[in-house]
Amino acid sequence: MDKIGIIGIGNMGGAIAHGLIKNGRELIISNKSPEKLSEYEKFKNVEIKKDNRDVVKDSKYIILAVKPKVYADVIDEVREVFSEDKILISIAAGFTLEKLEKLLPSRKIAMVMPNTPAMVYEGMSGICPNELLSEDERDEVKNIFNLIGRAAIISEDSFNAFSAACGSLPAYVYMFIEAAADGAVLNGLNRRDAYEFIAQSVMGSAKMVLETEKHPGELKDMVTSPGGTTIEGLKVLEERAFRGGIIEAINAAVEKSKNM
Ligand SMILES: NC(=O)C1=CN([C@@H]2O[C@H](COP(=O)(O)OP(=O)(O)OC[C@H]3O[C@@H](n4cnc5c(N)ncnc54)[C@H](O)[C@@H]3O)[C@@H](O)[C@H]2O)C=CC1
Ligand SMILES: O=C(O)[C@@H]1CCC=N1
């Protein structure tokens, strides 16, 4: 099986690495600060390299998981060894295929937007390959990201919307969990239990959307008893523009992607 390289083992690169390691894939990794690499020494299926170019030389699929501001520098550094058979997997917000193709002309490139739940195999990744990838290579990119959750091929013009809605979403959900726990603590539930019970409730609610295929509004209605407690909470959320706030948050993230 082809080796997968990961340059940059931070929050996202580390989450992908952990997911792939547990699935038995062979990885070659590098990171600017060597301390982050030491936790990977114990894995037999991971090779650690000091030089980013060695990651590229020995892998077929190379996931570039550094911050967008150093993308161009790292691509400059590895360009010479990035032969035509290799596939660059870009996960940076704000990097279009056009921008990437300027940095690495005539090369196979796939833009992918994963999210951090990849670490527990529950990631969601949107994939947008350029036309130089073969059918098998497109499938393999999808397979790689399917190992750490769900993956879907998406169109280039929906990539920013996907990034804002799915790449960033875990942060919004964690904020929601924290806020819900604050509300529960205010009313006497202990914090540790609150995080566990609320996280399970979020996971169960998401599973209902995926498994029942019912409209989210219908699922909401099933919870909301006439004259009951839930409708009191929903009324406050509507008054505080909960939906509008989320729509605007996703819109702001899309705008930022366009202007990075
Ligand atoms: N954090 C997230 O939830 C998501 C992040 N992304 C994308 O992933 C990329 C990385 O983001 P994070 O993991 O959050 O950042 P991070 O700062 O946690 O990780 C970046 C890693 O790259 C390393 N690095 C920096 N310069 C390097 C170089 N020249 N060579 C090798 N390694 C180098 C850093 O030491 C660090 O460990 C970004 O492009 C971001 O847009 C995409 C989806 C979700
Ligand atoms: O905040 C960011 O820019 C990255 C992209 C999506 C999630 N994290």
Side-chain angles (χ1 to χ4, degrees), residues 50-256:
K50 286 203 177 88
D51 190 326
N52 292 334
R53 282 170 298 194
D54 290 334
V55 172
V56 174
K57 274 186 212 157
D58 294 345
S59 338
K60 164 140 183 173
Y61 295 86
I62 298 104
I63 302 173
L64 188 49
V66 298
K67 288 281 186 206
K69 66 173 192 285
V70 292
Y71 246 61
D73 292 343
V74 176
I75 292 176
D76 276 348
E77 186 189 333
V78 302
R79 187 178 294 107
E80 208 178 74
V81 288
F82 212 106
S83 49
E84 281 177 5
D85 56 318
K86 297 186 186 292
I87 294 153
L88 175 72
I89 298 181
S90 160
I91 62 163
F95 267 78
T96 57
L97 280 177
E98 193 188 348
K99 247 193 219 179
L100 292 159
E101 283 163 353
K102 275 195 188 126
L103 292 167
L104 204 58
S106 312
R107 290 293 180 273
K108 299 173 196 238
I109 301 174
M111 286 197 292
V112 177
M113 182 51 59
N115 60 18
T116 53
M119 192 164 185
V120 293
Y121 318 117
E122 292 290 356
M124 180 67 229
S125 306
I127 300 168
C128 183
N130 76 0
E131 73 287 353
L132 297 177
L133 274 79
S134 68
E135 200 63 34
D136 284 352
E137 289 165 340
R138 287 163 68 106
D139 287 348
E140 179 57 1
V141 175
K142 200 172 162 195
N143 285 341
I144 291 171
F145 286 89
N146 264 329
L147 290 174
I148 50 175
R150 292 184 188 220
I153 304 276
I154 58 171
S155 67
E156 198 174 350
D157 58 7
S158 62
F159 196 79
N160 285 344
F162 181 93
S163 300
C166 302
S168 306
L169 195 88
Y172 308 148
V173 173
Y174 300 137
M175 188 186 255
F176 171 79
I177 291 173
E178 208 184 0
D182 284 344
V185 167
L186 180 67
N187 287 281
L189 192 62
N190 80 65
R191 188 162 287 276
R192 186 193 294 245
D193 283 349
Y195 286 140
E196 181 190 336
F197 301 161
I198 292 164
Q200 170 63 29
S201 303
V202 167
M203 197 172 71
S205 308
K207 220 167 169 183
M208 289 282 279
V209 174
L210 291 173
E211 291 185 7
T212 66
E213 291 181 10
K214 286 190 193 299
H215 188 284
E218 190 182 345
L219 294 169
K220 180 210 78 184
D221 289 353
M222 283 162 59
V223 184
T224 311
S225 312
T229 55
T230 310
I231 191 64
E232 296 294 334
L234 288 179
K235 181 168 168 284
V236 173
L237 290 178
E238 293 292 10
E239 283 162 4
R240 303 279 170 108
F242 182 69
R243 292 167 197 256
I246 290 169
I247 293 168
E248 283 305 325
I250 288 174
N251 205 33
V254 168
E255 285 307 309
K256 178 68 184 181

Side-chain angles (χ1 to χ4, degrees), residues 3-17:
K3 291 187 180 171
I4 302 166
I6 306 180
I7 299 178
I9 297 287
N11 290 314
M12 197 57 241
I16 297 172

